[in-house]
Amino acid sequence: MLRAAALVRRGCGPRISGPWRRGRSRAAAEASAALPARGRRERVLTPESMNPQVKAVEYAVRGPIVLKAGELEQELQRGIKKPFTEVIRANIGDAQAMGQQPITFLRQVIALCTYPNLLDSPSFPEDAKERARRILQACGGNSLGSYSASQGVKCIREDVAAYIARRDGGVPADPDNIYLTTGASDGITTILKILVSGAGKSRTGVMIPIPQYPLYSAVISELGAIQVNYYLDEENCWALNVNELRRALREAKDYCDPKVLCIINPGNPTGQVQSRKCMEDVIHFAWEEKVFLLADEVYQDNVYSPDCRFHSFKKVLSEMGPEYSSNVELASFHSTSKGYMGECGYRGGYMEVINLHPEIQAQLVKLLSVRLCPPVSGQAAMDVVVNPPGPGEESFEQFMREKESVLGNLARKAKLTEDMFNQVPGIHCNPLQGAMYAFPRIFIPPKAVEAAQARNMAPDMFYCMSLLEETGICVVPGSGFGQREGTYHFRITILPPMEKLKTVFQKVRDFHVSFLEKFA
């Protein structure tokens, strides 16, 4: 029997004769004749047939500049000579890629959760072990490798709620209003999916700051929503003016239904920290105009200016009285990726959503259940962020030293960045009150604008590409974030080590002076 099967596989089986075989041969021949020549079958998915909303998505932080940076790095590795010896990726807020060391306590807890056999090791402090045991006991099978509830591990949501209450001076938070997410981006995308509806002039309009973090414009394009720009005031340190919100909303009503307002505080890419008075004005605007408020607060630990202080929208809303706190719908977001932690790769985050209609809350949980759950290791990392060592615990002093060192270094680099850029003719940089970036304004001569147009490039893209090719410094053109027409900027992170950052500033200065001379 085995030999017969082998013969059939080799085409040596018994021949089939008679009319059935002849009919089958004719049918096969006719089918073959109907097929196009080999290799000519058209693809199902083509640039013309693909989802046009996906095609419209752009994400400047990882756009053409970054692709070019990768090409240059490969050429350097192959020994091709360049005017520089390394590519410095100052385009993205990836702290540990820039050399920032992980927080020891966070990594200890994650290590213990990942490999529980280490719980018997004397090398780990007891407070880290206590947190790891608590997290593991809440996981299916006492393992990070199991799915969690779609909303996130319950004890971690409880810790997030307790953290919010401490942060906001006792304003209560309900764990049932907490949703653990795959970074803050996942939460922002999810809530926008629920908010976007309608067609034509009734299509949802989403108000975003300009300059903005490109996640917002990308998700708006993907969902087919309508982007409604409101401009931050560059002349007033990128402040948000509520009159500008009113202008944007009034004009948008002609072509969409503007019902979502996004706020980034502290700002990305602009680094401003909003005043409490400004936040009260924004909340009143949201209440008055019946818009849903999204508060992107992932940089809440990154405040450097002694004149500024972070206030959460949740806290300000609660203190404005029940007329506001019981009615304004608010989703706020935090992440493990920024702050002093810099744990971008764990993709940990949460959102708190308040004043949501009960039926919508059920729909939100349903939508989250489609992706099963966020990474449980990222949830554990988020737990350490909201439940760090306290006074009297074994790891407290080391944790505080590491945290204050990271934030102190960032504060010094923020001031250095402002000072260094403002010494360069043709560059102006507002104070970096918070976050991790500078967004300096650059003067681009008319001849350089013409040269960019001849290459079919935005002028600031032309500038940034030239900077990369001549110095190896990778920054992102301001056009990727949005800017007032006729102005040009670039975003640069302040995360590189101090000495490397000084080198970056010197190279940018020399390049800019040369660029102005070349296109004078």
Side-chain angles (χ1 to χ4, degrees), residues 207 249 258-261 285-286 289-293 328-329:
M207 302 177 68
L249 181 132
K259 64 180 183 183
V260 185
L261 171 60
F285 171 85
E289 299 293 346
K290 295 186 175 67
V291 297
F292 196 112
L293 193 54
V328 174
E329 295 146 289

Side-chain angles (χ1 to χ4, degrees), residues 92-113:
I92 194 166
D94 190 347
Q96 294 184 26
M98 291 284 99
Q100 180 177 309
Q101 293 303 300
I103 298 296
T104 300
F105 186 77
L106 189 149
R107 286 299 182 88
Q108 287 174 331
V109 174
I110 298 299
L112 291 163
C113 287

